[in-house]
Amino acid sequence: MARMGLRAPVNVTWEITLKCNLQCAHCLSASGAAARNELSTRECFRLIDQLADLKIFQVNIGGGEPFIRNDFLDILEYAHQKGLVTCVSTNGMLVDDALAERLAKMRMLYLQVSLDGATAEVNDMIRGQGTYDRIIRAIECLSRQGVDFSINTVLTRFSYPQLDTLRELAAGYGAELRVSRFRPSGRGKDSKDTMGPDKYQLEAFADWLDGHDLVRTGDSFFSLTSEHRRRKGLDMCGAAKMTCCISPSGDVYPCAFMQEKPFLVGNIREAGLREMWNHSPVFRQFRTLKVETCVDCPRFEVCRGGCPAMAYHTYHDINMPDPECLMNLGIDFEGAVRHG
């Protein structure tokens, strides 16, 4: 699978709009204003037809803020009619009882609500003044209406000390906690030095994860996970092997954190996703990626070099190792590059 990829992605990340009503300091896509030439409703339906034809299991929909699109509920319902499970990430600003009641009727929908701190002091410095109270109100609406959701927090140096409180907060609403990795893309490029977790927090977080099996991470932290937890999920980067990303305007990339010109595969207005998945040189590059400096590492079978997005945004080279792998914390690979 690492060399060839599957015959189709298991899941696809679809950034459905760049338009957003917040300006979060760590936003992976620097969302705010809508992108030029975002897919129309009809084009979204045609894309869903392609995803269904490929028998993709799940579509992870983000943005921007998906619910800011007037046609988003229609798009969701069409995806469900086509048999696609959807996982939607929202900032919660537009969630009220009426919307939650409608979402509760969608049995193929899973929701992730972003909250970046257990207190207003921490969350609001990242997501904006007053957002903590509005997010909690949204969570209350979803819980009251019986919507299946999780609370998603990005691991920062400020949210790390609040992880236990966040887990308890989520449980109080019948939800799970999902912790995502801080990656320096979008506005995260400018905030990484002030907001990103330090190496001691990352080391401690690896131990914390090992003791909290019910906390979700997706594949965000596979390079930090223990042998015990690794058995529960993917142990390598899934970009181009199991997943890919589609931008608001239909551009296709290996993953949401690598929406950069060197990794543009093509556009779904000009070519089919099946064709791109099978024949793209960019996807082939990721499937044959081998981080030579990691091959002899005792943890190589755990992370296989780690996250290429972290390597690219740190060193501008996907052939470099993940700088936040447990074995690399504190090692100056950037200096090694500078000095040969």
Side-chain angles (χ1 to χ4, degrees):
M1 185 189 73
R3 292 192 304 272
M4 302 297 295
L6 301 176
R7 64 161 188 82
V10 173
N11 61 66
V12 167
T13 296
W14 183 5
E15 305 291 309
I16 203 166
T17 182
L18 276 184
K19 191 173 182 181
C20 194
N21 41 18
L22 296 182
Q23 294 277 318
C24 299
H26 56 15
C27 180
L28 72 93
S29 55
S31 295
R36 291 182 58 191
N37 300 319
E38 291 193 353
L39 299 179
S40 67
T41 306
R42 181 173 295 181
E43 288 175 320
C44 288
F45 285 0
R46 286 203 293 263
L47 173 56
I48 289 169
D49 289 339
Q50 285 194 54
L51 301 179
D53 184 58
L54 283 167
K55 293 182 170 54
I56 287 167
F57 174 68
Q58 179 172 297
V59 184
N60 302 318
I61 304 176
E65 171 51 45
F67 289 105
I68 214 165
R69 282 189 64 137
N70 293 331
D71 59 356
F72 184 56
L73 291 177
D74 295 331
I75 291 169
L76 269 184
E77 288 175 345
Y78 187 76
H80 298 159
Q81 290 168 17
K82 290 291 183 176
L84 295 172
V85 175
T86 58
C87 179
V88 177
S89 296
T90 178
N91 60 31
M93 295 298 101
L94 298 176
V95 175
D96 56 17
D97 277 312
L99 177 57
E101 185 177 7
R102 186 167 177 182
L103 296 177
K105 297 174 183 176
M106 298 182 178
R107 298 305 175 190
M108 299 179 74
L109 169 71
Y110 186 79
L111 210 63
Q112 293 178 359
V113 183
S114 296
L115 180 69
D116 281 310
T119 60
E121 179 184 11
V122 172
N123 175 83
D124 290 7
M125 79 167 71
I126 297 170
R127 307 194 71 82
Q129 190 66 33
T131 56
Y132 179 84
D133 291 338
R134 295 177 68 182
I135 296 165
I136 293 298
R137 285 198 295 271
I139 288 170
E140 290 172 347
C141 290
L142 295 169
S143 179
R144 190 159 49 239
Q145 297 297 334
V147 178
D148 190 14
F149 74 98
S150 65
I151 291 176
N152 185 77
T153 190
V154 175
L155 186 70
T156 66
R157 65 187 59 186
F158 308 110
S159 65
Y160 168 75
Q162 299 187 330
L163 288 176
D164 285 320
T165 308
L166 281 163
R167 188 172 61 87
E168 293 168 4
L169 187 152
Y173 290 105
E176 293 177 302
L177 177 65
R178 185 179 189 277
V179 184
S180 294
R181 191 172 180 184
F182 191 118
R183 288 181 174 94
S185 63
R187 278 193 289 274
K189 293 178 181 179
D190 298 323
S191 58
K192 177 68 164 63
D193 290 343
T194 57
M195 289 178 52
D198 63 38
K199 67 178 182 178
Y200 304 106
Q201 289 175 326
L202 287 168
E203 290 171 348
F205 178 68
D207 292 333
W208 187 86
L209 270 184
D210 195 34
H212 294 83
D213 283 356
L214 297 181
V215 173
R216 296 173 177 241
T217 62
D219 67 352
S220 298
F221 291 102
F222 61 87
S223 61
L224 290 174
T225 53
S226 66
E227 177 66 23
H228 165 71
R229 189 176 175 95
R230 185 172 70 92
R231 300 191 200 105
K232 298 179 179 294
L234 192 64
D235 63 354
M236 64 179 181
C237 169
K241 307 174 188 76
M242 298 181 69
T243 188
C244 64
C245 172
I246 301 171
S247 80
S249 57
D251 287 336
V252 177
Y253 298 92
C255 89
F257 297 96
M258 304 198 77
Q259 297 181 66
E260 305 275 344
K261 188 175 180 180
F263 309 112
L264 175 61
V265 173
N267 189 283
I268 58 115
R269 288 177 170 132
E270 300 165 0
L273 185 59
R274 185 190 300 275
E275 177 186 347
M276 286 186 272
W277 183 258
N278 289 333
H279 303 295
S280 164
V282 174
F283 284 157
R284 191 177 308 118
Q285 178 186 18
F286 275 76
R287 290 166 190 162
T288 58
L289 184 65
K290 189 174 183 180
V291 183
E292 295 290 348
T293 56
C294 294
V295 172
D296 295 327
C297 174
R299 280 179 57 89
F300 181 71
E301 293 303 321
V302 175
C303 74
R304 299 176 187 273
C307 174
M310 285 298 298
Y312 178 76
H313 290 297
T314 304
Y315 312 119
H316 305 291
D317 184 355
I318 64 172
N319 295 291
M320 291 294 289
D322 186 330
E324 291 182 350
C325 175
L326 285 177
M327 300 298 288
N328 294 340
L329 290 173
I331 299 176
D332 184 15
F333 278 96
E334 192 168 15
V337 173
R338 288 196 303 268
H339 300 298

